[in-house]
Amino acid sequence: MNNEKKWWKEAVVYQIYPRSFMDGNGDGIGDLKGVMEKLDYLSYLGIDVIWMSPIFQSPNHDNGYDVSDYQNIMDEFGTMDEFELLLEESHKRGIKIILDLVVNHTSDEHRWFQKSCEDKENPYWDYYIWKPAEDGKEPTNWGTWFGGSAWEYNENRKRYYLHLFSPHQPDLNWKNPSVRKEVYDMMHWWLEKGIDGFRMDVINLISKSEDFSDGKLDGLYGNVRPFCLNGPHVHEYLKEMNEKVLSQYDIMTIGEATEIMVEDAKEFAGTDRNELDMVFQLEHMDMGKGQYGKWNDAPVDLKELKDIFQRWQDGLCDVGWNTLFWSNHDQPRAVSRFGDDGAYWEMSAKMLAICLHMMRGTPFIYQGEEIGMTNAGFSDLQEYRDVESLNAYHELVDELGISHEDMMKYLRLKGRDNARTPMQWSNDAEAGFTDAVPWISVNRNYPEINVEKQKQEEDSVLNCYRGVIALRHEKPVIVYGDFNMLLEDSPFIFAYERTLDDVRLTVFCNFTNQNVPCELLSDTEHVLISNYKERAGKILRPYEAVVYEKMN
Ligand code: TEU
Ligand code: CA
């Protein structure tokens, strides 16, 4: 087992989606001032690191994942002075801050792209991926992650540029050494300010294949994945970034790596690879894809979920490090997806906390998950804001003939806005998030689900999260222990053990709303944490989670 001690292995990270976290100036949009107001709450929760989704200048076609200036703060979020103060105040409380590095693409309003579009040759001409038309049409049939063609024509250049996401997010040309140098300089600039690391957006897409040919047809467009996933030079670039930037600081780096397998992760985040510390792999997020990708209502298959976790836990134990998460700003709410947001809301939210936080890896809590926030429940297309969801609606309903009702159901289950409704702070108007009209509706259940309420309830989901976070800080076995799956074949129970020296934890989680018999349970062993008060013999009650601790 690879057990070198690192602070980032011992940390619990909290993801802030600033737009929806806290509005500090009453314009309906979350901001840095709002984050500042809530720092004491984050201390109380006990987390070690904040990951902030993009806070840079952006026209917000994709809520900040389209950056028009990497070295300025988005007007709506505040000023650089406010950021510096936030960093200082966080550090005072022992909380680190990592930022989102979005460098597969920029905004089309970025100065580099504006220059790149000029009809006269200049140093920025080759900063993006430009191709001439093929027979008067797009250079290839590739589609994007957000629907539509991956090519957009530019009148000035009389060429097409590549964009794997929206046309407002042109892909940078990483083959160009000047592009790489600009990115590294910018990273140094932030690190010199004292930030503690980066989460790197779709970092496994930065190197494109030399082969610009059509992809296999998948719906309306050709599949672009073979031409950009884990491309030919991606490791060369990351090693260079590591040498020129990352290795010079004591920081934490996580690469978001879409559609990768364990073997790929070993290359991106293997201990001796000199690339990244860890990756966000999305295999458990991508479960249940069908004919229309994620847009369906397939239920979660627990056996498959367990297989995925087991593969990642076992696969990286000697050579890397895992991230652990149930959700983020691109995914449905954890309790709605993997638990039960109805009758067993509270039990299942706590079960999910215990199940995830006892595993090996660095846990990431997505804002609101710690109070069991649920999917948005929007029933009107007008309430959606997300570019991916709106594009998908039009592509699937208008072009592929899915019914409005079915698509609205899929959006309610899978749409990214489910995770983007405002943080529910209290029972006040707009959940205490803002004094104005919020940029996206609050979830109607805020009177029942909010921070203020759960602070006062000893048995709340919030206090369960505080409990699992504290345990990780107290018990080295949770950070560094070996992982071993138990009851592998059970389609109902997620169980495993963790061992370090003479300490052994056994974890049992019922993912169903039924009583499930389990011979391995005990009424006498020491219970470290559970979501039910007493044990009940050899039965796991609905969504029960229990962790035993044994000293040998
Ligand atoms: O997400 C990349 C990514 O893989 C997503 O497109 C994901 O597949 C999808 O959202 C799931 O529905 C990152 C960011 O996390 C996302 O917010 C951005 O929109 C995207 O990159 C482009 O920057
Ligand atoms: Ca604001």
Side-chain angles (χ1 to χ4, degrees):
M1 220 187 344
N2 156 35
N3 259 346
E4 199 191 334
K5 289 213 157 36
K6 296 277 186 197
W7 65 261
W8 43 262
K9 292 184 180 174
E10 299 172 13
V12 177
V13 186
Y14 186 88
Q15 182 190 352
I16 289 183
Y17 195 68
R19 208 171 186 76
S20 302
F21 189 62
M22 181 66 198
D23 177 15
N25 69 346
D27 65 353
I29 297 171
D31 47 45
L32 296 180
K33 192 158 165 278
V35 177
M36 182 81 133
E37 283 173 29
K38 296 298 180 185
L39 272 186
D40 287 334
Y41 167 72
L42 297 176
S43 292
Y44 159 85
L45 183 57
I47 54 100
D48 307 284
V49 179
I50 297 170
W51 150 31
M52 288 218 271
S53 276
I55 55 171
F56 320 104
Q57 279 287 357
S58 166
N60 285 308
H61 290 285
D62 189 17
N63 290 355
Y65 284 91
D66 47 329
V67 180
S68 54
D69 183 349
Y70 292 99
Q71 281 156 276
N72 271 305
I73 303 291
M74 190 191 299
D75 294 334
E76 290 167 335
F77 287 178
T79 63
M80 193 59 78
D81 285 347
E82 280 171 324
F83 177 78
E84 283 166 6
L85 189 62
L86 179 65
L87 188 62
E88 195 184 312
E89 287 296 319
S90 302
H91 285 169
K92 271 192 205 155
R93 291 164 174 79
I95 296 177
K96 298 180 192 288
I97 296 189
I98 67 173
L99 295 183
D100 216 311
L101 184 77
V102 189
V103 289
N104 172 69
H105 44 267
T106 68
S107 159
D108 60 346
E109 294 183 25
H110 196 288
R111 184 176 52 88
W112 303 337
F113 188 71
Q114 308 271 305
K115 284 270 178 199
S116 200
C117 289
E118 284 176 6
D119 55 5
K120 266 219 296 300
E121 192 170 343
N122 65 53
Y124 298 93
W125 250 39
D126 205 20
Y127 266 43
Y128 295 83
I129 301 167
W130 293 99
K131 292 279 167 208
E134 277 290 319
D135 304 326
K137 293 191 322 215
E138 288 80 8
T140 70
N141 67 356
W142 302 345
T144 81
W145 261 261
F146 290 166
S149 165
W151 297 102
E152 184 79 3
Y153 191 69
N154 180 270
E155 280 297 339
N156 268 334
R157 284 287 299 257
K158 305 262 181 292
R159 282 172 176 248
Y160 286 90
Y161 64 86
L162 180 72
H163 59 90
L164 297 179
F165 294 91
S166 107
H168 297 293
Q169 294 164 299
D171 280 53
L172 281 166
N173 177 17
W174 273 73
K175 262 174 55 184
N176 182 342
S178 313
V179 167
R180 305 206 297 276
K181 178 157 188 315
E182 298 254 24
V183 170
Y184 304 154
D185 287 350
M186 175 271 283
M187 292 172 75
H188 274 296
W189 187 85
W190 279 106
L191 289 163
E192 292 301 329
K193 269 195 192 296
I195 67 160
D196 303 287
F198 290 108
R199 174 266 188 188
M200 303 181 186
D201 195 57
V202 286
I203 202 67
N204 65 326
L205 300 185
I206 58 177
S207 168
K208 276 70 174 177
S209 154
E210 287 304 312
D211 174 14
F212 285 81
S213 60
D214 281 351
K216 203 166 146 264
L217 216 56
D218 174 14
L220 298 172
Y221 298 91
N223 185 359
V224 69
R225 290 167 171 78
F227 303 92
C228 63
L229 281 176
N230 315 327
H233 304 290
V234 68
H235 296 295
E236 183 188 314
Y237 300 154
L238 287 176
K239 283 187 196 314
E240 182 185 72
M241 180 196 283
N242 186 294
E243 187 206 319
K244 293 200 171 357
V245 187
L246 307 177
S247 60
Q248 299 170 22
Y249 304 85
D250 180 21
I251 53 171
M252 164 178 199
T253 57
I254 311 110
E256 185 204 28
T258 189
E259 299 177 43
I260 65 162
M261 298 293 123
V262 179
E263 291 313 307
D264 307 312
K266 291 180 183 170
E267 300 193 352
F268 284 101
T271 314
D272 299 320
R273 294 278 302 174
N274 296 321
E275 294 186 25
L276 305 173
D277 294 330
M278 49 191 135
V279 292
F280 283 133
Q281 59 83 15
L282 304 169
E283 212 184 332
H284 59 310
M285 295 288 111
D286 289 343
M287 274 171 57
K289 277 198 177 165
Q291 187 188 358
Y292 303 112
K294 73 178 196 178
W295 305 109
N296 62 58
D297 55 1
V300 172
D301 176 341
L302 181 68
K303 185 70 183 56
E304 191 186 342
L305 183 70
K306 284 167 42 171
D307 285 348
I308 294 173
F309 272 100
Q310 183 171 14
R311 217 158 354 87
W312 283 90
Q313 290 280 315
D314 292 348
L316 295 187
C317 71
D318 288 324
V319 291
W321 191 252
N322 273 296
T323 56
L324 301 170
F325 62 99
W326 286 129
S327 177
N328 60 37
H329 63 291
D330 293 333
Q331 301 294 335
R333 287 288 179 178
V335 67
S336 299
R337 185 179 200 174
F338 299 107
D340 173 354
D341 61 13
Y344 292 102
W345 163 74
E346 185 166 348
M347 276 304 169
S348 65
K350 294 180 195 169
M351 182 279 285
L352 289 169
I354 294 170
C355 182
L356 191 83
H357 284 254
M358 294 298 120
M359 280 193 253
R360 184 178 159 93
T362 299
F364 289 73
I365 300 168
Y366 178 66
Q367 70 181 42
E369 181 186 324
E370 79 277 19
I371 54 167
M373 277 179 65
T374 64
N375 279 351
F378 292 159
S379 51
D380 188 341
L381 192 61
Q382 305 290 322
E383 291 179 283
Y384 286 92
R385 299 283 176 271
D386 169 34
V387 54
E388 180 191 59
S389 301
L390 296 172
N391 286 355
Y393 179 92
H394 293 298
E395 198 160 301
L396 268 64
V397 174
D398 301 345
E399 295 182 58
L400 294 169
I402 302 240
S403 75
H404 168 79
E405 287 69 30
D406 282 347
M407 191 60 199
M408 292 306 292
K409 181 167 70 186
Y410 303 155
L411 285 171
R412 269 199 303 279
L413 291 169
K414 298 286 184 60
R416 304 199 297 181
D417 283 338
N418 285 307
R420 299 176 179 185
T421 62
M423 180 72 186
Q424 293 164 208
W425 294 107
S426 70
N427 195 8
D428 296 343
E430 309 299 354
F433 163 74
T434 181
D435 299 330
V437 178
W439 71 277
I440 188 170
S441 309
V442 296
N443 190 315
R444 273 182 286 279
N445 63 19
Y446 74 84
E448 291 85 53
I449 302 180
N450 65 65
V451 170
E452 266 325 301
K453 184 161 184 274
Q454 294 193 24
K455 271 186 164 174
Q456 282 150 34
E457 295 167 355
E458 201 192 320
D459 281 339
S460 60
V461 178
L462 178 60
N463 276 313
C464 179
Y465 269 87
R466 292 177 68 221
V468 291
I469 296 167
L471 279 177
R472 180 165 289 259
H473 293 143
E474 283 160 28
K475 307 263 173 198
V477 62
I478 299 177
V479 179
Y480 293 109
D482 213 347
F483 174 94
N484 181 26
M485 196 62 112
L486 302 173
L487 305 175
E488 274 169 54
D489 298 324
S490 170
F492 313 121
I493 303 175
F494 193 140
Y496 55 89
E497 62 181 1
R498 305 289 313 279
T499 45
L500 185 70
D501 303 326
D502 51 1
V503 186
R504 176 164 172 263
L505 302 185
T506 43
V507 181
F508 299 91
C509 299
N510 181 356
F511 270 70
T512 77
N513 58 9
Q514 307 287 315
N515 283 333
V516 181
C518 176
E519 280 306 311
L520 298 176
L521 297 174
S522 144
D523 281 351
T524 52
E525 265 180 59
H526 171 236
V527 173
L528 187 64
I529 188 168
S530 173
N531 54 353
Y532 280 75
K533 284 214 161 65
E534 299 97 25
R535 285 267 42 290
K538 306 258 176 221
I539 299 276
L540 273 179
R541 287 154 292 184
Y543 293 105
E544 181 164 1
V546 56
V547 182
Y548 297 108
E549 181 186 42
K550 227 202 206 135
M551 311 285 180
N552 289 326

